[in-house]
Amino acid sequence: EFKLEEGHPSVVFDRDDVPRYKMWYHAYISCMWRPRVCSPQRDETALLYAESEDGLHWIKPDVHRVGLKEPHHIGGADEGGNVLRLGSYGTGVFKDPRASEAGRPFKAFGMLRQATYSDP
């Protein structure tokens, strides 16, 4: 099985919450070229989420934030699995200790969807 998860992880230890470890990472949802050489300028990218109690064993919860148009390695059609946002790349996430909104302590930064690649 070909894995399209590329990385760029942000892992946050949150002693005030369970599960204590939270991870946001980048993945390719599609990679159309053979051999598979994925590119954020050409292929669909996403921000995904996982969580852990010990930082070693991770689960990928079904967050149902994004509906996919067709089956992918991360879920079937109309399932987003653990996808939080399509079209992001190299996203970093951190917990803001001075967050003013109680329900939004995490902040993200990174690139959003890039220009579509055209093969000449």
Side-chain angles (χ1 to χ4, degrees):
E1 173 184 329
F2 185 80
K3 296 283 186 187
L4 299 177
E5 296 168 343
E6 182 178 79
H8 304 288
S10 293
V11 178
V12 174
F13 174 76
D14 187 357
R15 67 173 46 97
D16 302 324
D17 197 10
V18 174
R20 295 194 185 278
Y21 292 90
K22 297 162 183 14
M23 177 171 56
W24 295 263
Y25 61 100
H26 166 262
Y28 287 101
I29 303 302
S30 66
C31 186
M32 297 185 269
W33 284 24
R34 304 277 191 259
R36 291 188 193 249
V37 179
C38 301
S39 167
Q41 286 84 23
R42 178 188 61 241
D43 300 308
E44 187 72 46
T45 60
L47 177 65
L48 293 88
Y49 174 76
E51 53 194 23
S52 172
E53 287 295 326
D54 60 8
L56 298 173
H57 304 92
W58 295 88
I59 60 168
K60 299 175 182 180
D62 287 328
V63 295
H64 300 289
R65 296 281 308 263
V66 175
L68 302 175
K69 298 175 191 169
E70 56 190 51
H72 293 281
H73 75 289
I74 58 167
D78 298 324
E79 295 176 8
N82 61 329
V83 177
L84 296 176
R85 186 186 197 297
L86 293 176
S88 62
Y89 182 78
T91 305
V93 178
F94 65 96
K95 185 174 182 181
D96 182 357
R98 294 176 276 165
S100 58
E101 291 186 54
R104 305 185 110 188
F106 299 100
K107 307 293 189 254
F109 57 94
M111 294 186 289
L112 299 179
R113 185 174 310 278
Q114 303 212 1
T116 303
Y117 178 86
S118 296
D119 192 15

